[in-house]
Amino acid sequence: MNKTVLITGSTSGIGLGIANQFAKEGYNIMFHGLGSNGQEIANQVAEKHQVKVAFSNANLLQADAIDGLVAETIKIFGALHVLVNNAGIQFVSPIEDFPNSKYQNIIAINMNAVFYASKAVWAQMKKQQFGRIINVSSVHGIRASEYKSAYVTAKHGVIGMTKVLALEGAPFNITCNAICPGYVKTPLVVGQIKDQAKAHDMTEDEVVEKVMLKKQAVKQFVPLEAIADMAVLLAKDSSTTITGSSFVLDGGWSAQ
Ligand code: NAD
């Protein structure tokens, strides 16, 4: 039987990269994300890799919708082996101008949704005596940058939650780990380049060179494939003792 993975925010960027890699490995995939082309993206991956897929556009701002997303996944595929909490948003601003609504949405999507989704998969994973929860945090889960008060708070929170779930999951072969990428060139980052240019009063090229990649020793965006390979590794049966850890793929940023 093929295993099933639910990847939040898999219609774009890192989530889509992770979905492609799981599809190559033969997993059934529950695609998820906002936007109108999710089903089309899911179908393309299904056709390319001959795997079973479904798609949901549940809004992660609502706890009920997250419960529904998990229930739908289990109903369609009959199991749920891997949950990748990947969806996330960003907003960059000095704190004194940071809109409260933006702060609340970042905490809700980047952190609270990780709690709700993990809680919702728990009974199924316990029943299976197998579960792999993979949280896409960030180098900003272990380091700070100015103007990112909401994002850094949420991503640090996810690392704390990862450790707790690892402890609670241990008796049931449920592992929980975090992946902490540096900058990956996805639609989220392209948006940030624009925002940072405003915040720092720089051109977009200057932001890439002087702000984003400044902190990475390796002056390259982190490839999507590296993150996807790490996620597939963490999902393996043999990864049962890898738990409660954060895997940093940051081009040497946090080595300093
Ligand atoms: P992206 O903008 O390309 O994709 C985000 C996904 O989340 C999309 O599928 C979108 O539909 C979904 N999403 C957003 N809000 C949602 C909501 N309310 N309900 C349901 N789905 C929602 O972003 P990305 O760059 O691929 O980022 C993915 C994850 O990786 C995020 O958690 C982000 O913080 C993290 N991350 C990204 C980078 C980077 O450089 N891109 C670095 C470190 C960590």
Side-chain angles (χ1 to χ4, degrees), residues 70-141:
V70 169
E72 194 185 344
T73 307
I74 295 167
K75 191 171 166 210
I76 294 171
F77 298 104
L80 208 184
H81 301 91
V82 185
L83 167 67
V84 184
N85 286 307
N86 163 76
I89 57 168
Q90 175 61 288
F91 188 79
V92 178
S93 164
I95 190 163
E96 63 179 331
D97 304 321
F98 210 113
N100 290 348
S101 61
K102 295 278 185 196
Y103 176 81
Q104 285 155 6
N105 284 351
I106 289 178
I107 297 295
I109 294 167
N110 295 14
M111 188 178 80
N112 295 347
V114 176
F115 170 80
Y116 294 126
S118 303
K119 181 179 170 188
V121 301
W122 205 258
Q124 177 69 26
M125 288 185 173
K126 217 165 132 180
K127 192 170 84 184
Q128 291 166 179
Q129 290 287 299
F130 184 95
R132 300 283 182 260
I133 299 174
I134 300 164
N135 295 327
V136 180
S137 176
S138 165
V139 66
H140 283 116

Side-chain angles (χ1 to χ4, degrees), residues 8-15 32-35 57-61 85-89 109-110 136-139 151 155 179-189 192 221 224:
T8 66
S10 41
T11 53
S12 172
I14 294 174
H32 163 264
L34 301 179
N57 63 358
N59 191 334
L60 297 180
L61 285 170
N85 286 307
N86 163 76
I89 57 168
I109 294 167
N110 295 14
V136 180
S137 176
S138 165
V139 66
Y151 189 84
K155 293 298 188 182
I179 299 177
C180 302
Y183 279 104
V184 189
K185 200 162 188 194
T186 66
L188 180 141
V189 163
Q192 268 188 74
F221 284 105
L224 275 181

Side-chain angles (χ1 to χ4, degrees), residues 161-182:
M161 202 185 315
T162 299
K163 294 176 188 171
V164 176
L165 300 190
L167 298 180
E168 293 189 25
F172 314 111
N173 189 22
I174 301 172
T175 67
C176 185
N177 293 287
I179 299 177
C180 302

